[in-house]
């Protein structure tokens, strides 16, 4: 019973997000063609079609080119790229964490050496 | 002791599920590798996996939400904000993915008209998800390393586990100080 209730809460939260997304789709901003939209929500580079849509489509083209309908080992490049991004972020955050921890420990050690402030 | 074994089991389940989710995420972000049909079904299954992940960490979610503006560590606070963003982004990915579905939804009898903006949002959100997952993994890195180490140490301490009954092996493991 508890699990059903919690599942319903998660689904309700997801529904709120989806509702906001659909509400955004109805706004004038989202209805505007790509080139006229301020700041351009365009992701793909390249020339735009006169109807305002970005060239190609999700189902026919991806950033590296090629067809997404068929499975291909060339997709491993995408996996590798994403894995590299995640690894870089992890390395950066862990390194920062270690540096700050070290600095904090040094500060505490210095405070202990000098004694409590009178 | 039984409590320790329970915690160990919970950690193993969490680690296994999280690893599976991470693998599925990497595969799902590469539709060229899987093909569009598997990409879509994987995305739908991913939603269920996220829900299980949230249910397993329900206590933490509630505890931090209750004390968000009170007594809670900054790490937990940052983690909470990051996880909320991740939930929003994942929901957007799944919702827009369903809107541009070409294999999964048509198979279930739903045919939606193509709308290019859903594809754009889908891509934008998946790019954001890669970054957020990176930070999510980074913030849990110590737990991942420690749990994996503990798990591997246990498995190397029982070389005779194949020939011994499971109960005896688990008791022997529990007896180890």
């Amino acid at each position: 019973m508890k699990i059903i209730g919690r599942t319903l809460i998660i689904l309700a939260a997801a529904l709120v997000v989806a509702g906001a997304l659909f509400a955004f789709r109805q706004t004038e901003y989202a209805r505007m063609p790509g080139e006229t939209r301020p700041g351009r929500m365009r992701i793909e580079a390249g020339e735009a079609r006169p109807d305002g849509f970005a060239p190609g489509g999700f189902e026919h083209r991806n950033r590296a080119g090629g067809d997404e309908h068929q499975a291909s080992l060339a997709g491993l490049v995408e996996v590798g790229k994403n894995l590299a991004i995640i690894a870089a972020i992890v390395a950066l955050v862990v390194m920062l964490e270690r540096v700050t921890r070290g600095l904090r420990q040094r500060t505490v050690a210095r405070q202990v050496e000098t004694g409590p402030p009178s | 002791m039984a409590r320790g074994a329970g915690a160990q089991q919970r950690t193993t389940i969490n680690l296994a599920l999280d690893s599976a989710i991470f693998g599925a995420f990497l595969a799902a972000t590469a539709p060229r590798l899987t093909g569009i049909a598997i990409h879509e079904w994987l995305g739908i299954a991913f939603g269920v996996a996220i829900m299980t992940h949230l249910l397993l960490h329900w206590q933490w979610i509630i505890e931090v939400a209750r004390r968000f503006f009170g007594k809670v560590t900054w790490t937990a606070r940052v983690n909470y904000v990051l996880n909320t963003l991740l939930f929003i982004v994942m929901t957007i990915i799944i919702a827009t993915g369903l809107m541009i579905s070409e294999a999964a939804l048509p198979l279930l009898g739903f045919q939606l008209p193509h709308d290019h903006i859903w594809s754009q949002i889908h891509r934008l959100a998946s790019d954001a998800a890669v970054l957020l997952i990176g930070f999510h993994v980074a913030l849990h890195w110590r737990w991942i390393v420690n749990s994996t180490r503990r798990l591997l140490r246990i498995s190397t301490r029982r070389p005779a586990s194949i020939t011994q009954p499971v109960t005896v092996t688990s008791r022997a493991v529990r007896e180890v100080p």
Side-chain angles (χ1 to χ4, degrees):
Chain A
M1 199 64 197
K2 239 185 204 177
I3 290 175
I4 295 171
R6 288 170 182 179
T7 308
L8 287 175
I9 291 170
I10 296 167
L11 283 176
L15 216 64
V16 169
V17 176
L21 190 68
F22 284 95
F24 165 75
R25 181 67 192 96
Q26 299 304 314
T27 59
E28 282 300 314
Y29 182 83
R31 279 167 198 247
M32 260 186 242
E35 305 80 57
T36 53
R37 197 177 299 141
R40 284 190 185 186
M41 254 201 63
R42 306 244 333 246
I43 301 153
E44 294 189 4
E47 284 190 18
R49 283 179 0 210
D51 58 3
F53 288 112
F58 179 74
E59 71 281 15
H60 296 303
R61 222 189 82 172
N62 63 8
R63 272 158 283 188
D67 192 359
E68 285 175 343
H69 281 100
Q70 299 298 317
S72 149
L73 277 176
L76 278 173
V77 177
E78 274 177 66
V79 176
K81 192 193 76 187
N82 289 334
L83 205 57
I85 293 170
I86 292 168
I89 293 170
V90 170
L92 200 77
V93 171
V94 170
M95 220 159 63
L96 273 173
E97 211 181 6
R98 274 187 193 168
V99 169
T100 49
R101 208 189 311 148
L103 282 174
R104 216 177 297 153
Q105 278 172 351
R106 232 179 264 175
T107 317
V108 170
R110 241 179 249 165
Q111 278 174 352
V112 169
E113 273 173 25
T114 53
S118 54
Chain B
M1 237 184 286
R3 211 173 168 189
Q8 179 67 47
Q9 199 180 2
R10 219 175 308 136
T11 306
T12 310
I13 291 170
N14 280 334
L15 197 65
L17 182 74
D18 294 353
S19 305
I21 291 176
F22 184 68
F25 174 76
L26 282 179
T29 50
R32 279 178 75 199
L33 177 71
T34 56
I36 207 76
I38 293 176
H39 168 78
E40 287 182 13
W41 286 112
L42 200 61
I44 293 167
F46 195 72
V48 180
I50 289 172
M51 202 173 281
T52 314
H53 179 80
L54 291 175
L55 287 172
L56 283 172
H57 296 90
W58 191 260
Q59 283 308 319
W60 181 87
I61 296 167
I62 297 300
E63 282 304 310
V64 180
R66 262 190 204 146
R67 293 185 285 165
F68 190 81
F69 296 106
K71 250 188 172 179
V72 71
T73 60
W74 269 103
T75 321
R77 217 170 271 155
V78 170
N79 221 336
Y80 198 82
V81 172
L82 187 78
N83 291 344
T84 308
L85 281 175
L86 203 51
F87 176 76
I88 292 170
V89 166
M90 288 299 177
T91 307
I92 291 173
I93 292 175
I94 294 168
T96 51
L98 288 173
M99 293 309 291
I100 56 174
S101 171
E102 289 177 15
L105 282 197
L107 197 76
L108 299 172
F110 298 101
Q111 195 82 48
L112 297 166
H114 182 77
D115 189 344
H116 199 79
I117 197 130
W118 292 130
S119 308
Q120 287 187 324
I121 296 172
H122 189 69
R123 278 203 171 148
L124 194 68
S126 60
D127 284 347
V130 172
L131 298 178
L132 288 172
I133 286 281
F135 283 111
H136 186 76
V137 173
L139 286 176
H140 293 86
W141 188 246
R142 214 183 302 169
W143 177 81
I144 295 167
V145 172
N146 289 343
S147 305
T148 311
R149 267 191 198 150
R150 217 173 303 148
L151 209 72
L152 291 176
R153 205 183 301 153
I154 284 169
S155 62
T156 50
R157 272 184 189 180
R158 43 177 180 180
S161 61
I162 300 164
T163 49
Q164 283 178 356
V166 178
T167 47
V168 174
T169 313
S170 59
R171 203 175 297 152
V173 168
R174 272 187 247 139
E175 293 297 329
V176 174

